[in-house]
Amino acid sequence: MNLEFIVRKLELSVRCGEDKLGREVRGGYVGDLLSDVIGNSNEGDIWITRQAHQNIVAVASLKDHAGIILVNSSEPDSDTLDKAIKEEIPIMVSELPGFEVVGEIYKLMHT
Amino acid sequence: MTQDKKITKTQELIYSLRVKDVMSTDIVTVSPSNTMNELKEILRIRRISGTPVVEGKQLVGIVGIDDLIRCLSNGEMDATVGEKMSKKVETLCADEPLANAVNKFEQYGFGRFPVIERNHGRLIGILTKGDVVKGLLTRLEIAYHTEEFRYNNSINPVFDNIAMDKTNFHFQYRVDSRDFNVAGESINKLKKILSQIGFPPQIIRRVTIAAYEAEMNMIIYSYGGHISVSADQQHIILEACDAGPGIPDIEQAMRQGFSTAPVWVQELGFGAGMGLPNINKCADTMELKSEAGKGTHIKAVFNTTNGDGV
Amino acid sequence: MKKKGGNVTLSEVKEILDATVFVGEEKLDMEVKTAFSADLMSDVLAFAKEHSLLLTGLTNPQVVRTSDMLDIAAIILVRGKTPPEETIRLAKELNIPLLSTRYILFETSGRLHARGIVGCIEKVPLGEMT
């Protein structure tokens, strides 16, 4: 399953990294605490969070995440977008709360 | 405010208490016709060192152990009290302030003063230094208990206080900078109080969320302050005042997601830039006054008459 | 796994998540329909609704205080976290069930969602957060 499939199924708004949506998603991680995400997420995860500051790009880049989905309509700062474009990390936004976003992705992964 | 010397509770008491409030009324007296030998027995049995001399009901003198010793050495134990007593008696009036008594003890160096009723001069009691000390201590203890009771109630309101109703309650507590451990504790209490008073759950929810966000802001960013919640006929009013340092850019601070919180605060699950916008969202009206270098004052008002709101 | 539709008891939640119950053994027959997952208490305060499950990686006592304020039905700690004594004590005092699962938040949310639990809010319209 790639990012593009998730974007379509969940009707996500892509804020940057449209050209990277072909990337394979291996798993998912939800978390708003950067230390937790750095410590426990895996390469190829789609990271679901509501944090929107520029540090999330550094974390996603460090852990080589497939992309970041911001939930609760949380919008990335302009600094975050600049950095994400530079680091080639796709950022998507959902109106749904984290629980629903995860639930839908989990369902896609298990069917 | 002039910085006069602070009047202590003891000082206050010696002016407000009267002699009659602390004197002993269980008085041992002798008559002028008693012999010095009889006096010796009375002093020995009652373990006292002196007594007023009363004829009829009138105070006529005072006699003490000094007089007795003189008689003993002179072999005059058969003399009457009337012959050997001091006829010039210093007395106190029952209605005099205790302060006068204290001065008199100092001035004369006596161990006791008979107390007379001002109008008819009758003996009604006796005042010793011991009575003064005991009287003051008793009152101080009562005052201390009252003070302590009041203090406890102010920080830990009695929930079933029947005086509290929808238009007459006031809840206030102090918030210390960086004190995360007790954060929210007072608000859990506030929530109970509001629900006991009978406010609708939706209103309570909005007030408590706003109070919690205000408290968190104070803990994270300010030097500390206080939060108060009160009510009038139509509103609940939440006020949060801190001692600084103030918000340099209010517009920026009001934006969702804007935060200057350090990482350690974010790791606790706070400081996501939701605080002020959240208070604003919960309240019907919100005023925010802040000045850099000074303090921040938030006033959030919740209408209680138009149903559940949000 | 099929959506059951309707309520799930805490007891089933415990089973689905292979969870340890720290507080609230006697309330396991309580039924829940909705959940909210977050690590930011401010988000919980802003969005969580009463009678929902709170799924979180935070274990400090503030989680319990926040839950009490919002009338959260039960707290599920993820990633096998053992809560500090003070958190347990407070949950007991405020009578809020406290469970802990070894699953990560993603798996926890996914499993509950698959059993019919839904998010406690539908959505936050785009643009509202800026």
Side-chain angles (χ1 to χ4, degrees):
Chain A
M1 184 169 67
N2 63 16
L3 271 184
E4 201 274 331
F5 182 67
I6 295 176
V7 167
R8 195 155 32 87
K9 286 286 184 184
L10 273 77
E11 298 175 357
L12 304 176
S13 311
V14 181
R15 292 287 178 260
C16 67
E18 285 94 340
D19 52 332
K20 301 284 169 198
L21 297 184
R23 180 157 176 192
E24 191 64 17
V25 176
R26 296 201 205 156
Y29 202 83
V30 205
D32 303 323
L33 305 180
L34 303 190
S35 58
D36 162 41
V37 179
I38 291 172
N40 300 302
S41 65
N42 294 310
E43 184 192 336
D45 279 350
I46 178 78
W47 177 19
I48 296 131
T49 186
R50 58 83 62 221
Q51 296 278 30
H53 55 76
Q54 54 171 310
N55 291 345
I56 60 173
V57 179
V59 172
S61 170
L62 179 76
K63 299 298 288 193
D64 201 10
H65 291 153
I68 305 171
I69 300 177
L70 300 183
V71 297
N72 297 335
S73 293
S74 185
E75 287 289 343
D77 305 343
S78 57
D79 290 347
T80 307
L81 276 181
D82 292 348
K83 239 181 153 179
I85 291 163
K86 217 170 92 200
E87 300 279 336
E88 304 189 320
I89 303 283
I91 294 182
M92 286 79 63
V93 175
S94 172
E95 296 179 298
L96 300 177
F99 184 81
E100 283 293 326
V101 170
V102 175
E104 292 302 325
I105 294 175
Y106 188 88
K107 201 161 68 184
L108 296 176
M109 284 177 172
H110 289 81
T111 45
Chain B
M1 202 170 70
T2 53
Q3 271 300 10
D4 284 342
K5 261 192 230 153
K6 208 175 155 195
I7 296 173
T8 67
K9 193 76 199 169
T10 319
Q11 284 170 314
E12 191 185 310
L13 275 172
I14 64 168
Y15 286 101
S16 62
L17 284 176
R18 310 263 154 200
V19 168
K20 62 173 183 242
D21 298 327
V22 301
M23 69 182 186
S24 309
T25 50
D26 176 23
I27 334 162
V28 178
T29 59
V30 292
S31 124
S33 59
N34 283 117
T35 63
M36 290 307 277
N37 230 340
E38 287 164 340
L39 175 73
K40 184 192 72 179
E41 279 308 289
I42 290 168
L43 295 188
R44 186 177 68 80
I45 291 163
R46 301 299 294 259
R47 292 170 183 278
I48 52 179
S49 54
T51 135
V53 184
V54 173
E55 189 161 36
K57 284 186 176 173
Q58 293 299 316
L59 179 70
V60 292
I62 190 154
V63 67
I65 216 149
D66 295 345
D67 305 308
L68 194 67
I69 290 166
R70 221 174 297 125
C71 290
L72 269 174
S73 61
N74 298 344
E76 296 175 311
M77 292 303 283
D78 290 329
T80 61
V81 168
E83 290 163 17
K84 301 294 174 189
M85 68 184 185
S86 315
K87 293 195 175 92
K88 195 173 172 297
V89 190
E90 284 301 325
T91 59
L92 289 166
C93 287
D95 58 358
E96 282 188 78
L98 212 51
N100 291 6
V102 172
N103 288 338
K104 247 178 175 164
F105 276 116
E106 255 175 57
Q107 189 184 338
Y108 292 93
F110 294 161
R112 67 188 55 70
F113 287 99
V115 180
I116 56 165
E117 174 62 55
R118 190 186 290 277
N119 295 333
H120 45 62
R122 279 186 201 146
L123 179 74
I124 57 164
I126 191 152
L127 186 76
T128 64
K129 284 182 182 169
D131 292 328
V132 175
V133 172
K134 204 165 63 187
L136 283 175
L137 283 178
T138 312
R139 264 68 173 193
L140 279 174
E141 197 176 16
I142 293 167
Y144 175 73
H145 279 308
T146 316
E147 201 61 30
E148 190 176 46
F149 181 72
R150 212 179 289 145
Y151 177 69
N152 282 342
N153 275 353
S154 69
I155 57 165
N156 188 7
V158 180
F159 295 148
D160 53 6
N161 188 344
I162 48 160
M164 288 196 298
D165 60 39
K166 284 193 180 182
T167 57
N168 177 27
F169 83 94
H170 187 82
F171 184 91
Q172 182 167 331
Y173 64 98
R174 211 183 64 193
V175 178
D176 290 330
S177 183
R178 302 297 149 95
D179 193 357
F180 272 97
N181 292 335
V182 298
E185 200 175 302
S186 299
I187 296 170
N188 289 119
K189 283 176 192 157
L190 169 69
K191 188 186 162 199
K192 281 199 194 110
I193 294 170
L194 292 176
S195 99
Q196 271 180 10
I197 292 172
F199 287 107
Q202 284 308 314
I203 298 267
I204 296 175
R205 188 183 157 93
R206 288 161 51 208
V207 174
T208 51
I209 291 174
Y212 195 38
E213 291 285 16
E215 180 177 336
M216 273 302 166
N217 277 348
M218 230 180 246
I219 291 172
I220 297 170
Y221 302 107
S222 86
Y223 304 140
H226 68 268
I227 287 180
S228 76
V229 179
S230 56
D232 64 20
Q233 302 284 344
Q234 282 107 30
H235 315 93
I236 293 177
I237 300 119
L238 163 74
E239 289 189 85
C241 300
D242 67 46
I247 304 169
D249 186 340
I250 292 180
E251 205 179 305
Q252 199 177 34
M254 286 299 294
R255 249 193 355 244
Q256 278 199 21
F258 176 82
S259 176
T260 56
V263 172
W264 67 270
V265 168
Q266 301 200 2
E267 296 291 314
L268 284 167
F270 290 93
M274 300 285 288
L276 290 174
N278 222 355
I279 298 171
N280 193 33
K281 195 175 115 188
C282 288
D284 289 299
T285 60
M286 172 182 160
E287 282 170 42
L288 174 65
K289 283 183 211 149
S290 188
E291 220 177 302
K294 293 190 178 164
T296 300
H297 183 179
I298 295 171
K299 184 179 179 184
V301 178
F302 305 78
N303 297 337
T304 50
T305 47
N306 58 353
D308 282 356
V310 172
Chain C
M1 274 186 275
K2 262 197 221 161
K3 284 219 172 191
K4 278 172 45 167
N7 302 350
V8 176
T9 64
L10 263 193
S11 182
E12 287 172 284
V13 168
K14 180 194 169 193
E15 190 190 315
I16 294 163
L17 300 176
D18 191 20
T20 308
V21 181
F22 282 100
V23 176
E25 196 72 58
E26 72 288 352
K27 291 175 93 176
L28 291 185
D29 54 352
M30 175 200 286
E31 293 191 331
V32 286
K33 285 182 202 171
T34 55
F36 190 77
S37 53
D39 292 331
L40 295 182
M41 286 305 111
S42 327
D43 265 7
V44 179
L45 286 167
F47 300 121
K49 294 281 176 273
E50 58 269 35
H51 314 310
S52 296
L53 290 174
L54 173 61
L55 319 177
T56 183
L58 289 175
T59 61
N60 60 53
Q62 298 312 318
V63 174
V64 182
R65 296 229 177 267
T66 306
S67 299
D68 179 66
M69 278 167 219
L70 297 171
D71 297 308
I72 292 292
I75 302 165
I76 316 281
L77 306 177
V78 299
R79 272 184 278 123
K81 292 263 178 100
T82 300
E85 273 304 310
E86 176 60 12
T87 302
I88 299 177
R89 192 195 62 73
L90 201 58
K92 274 187 191 143
E93 183 190 313
L94 297 172
N95 200 19
I96 301 172
L98 180 66
L99 286 73
S100 178
T101 174
R102 300 187 61 77
Y103 294 119
I104 59 170
L105 188 51
F106 185 85
E107 184 69 23
T108 303
S109 307
R111 281 173 171 252
L112 292 176
H113 191 266
R115 289 289 290 268
I117 303 258
V118 295
C120 69
I121 50 166
E122 258 182 41
K123 60 181 187 181
V124 180
L126 282 179
E128 193 171 285
M129 291 289 289
T130 44

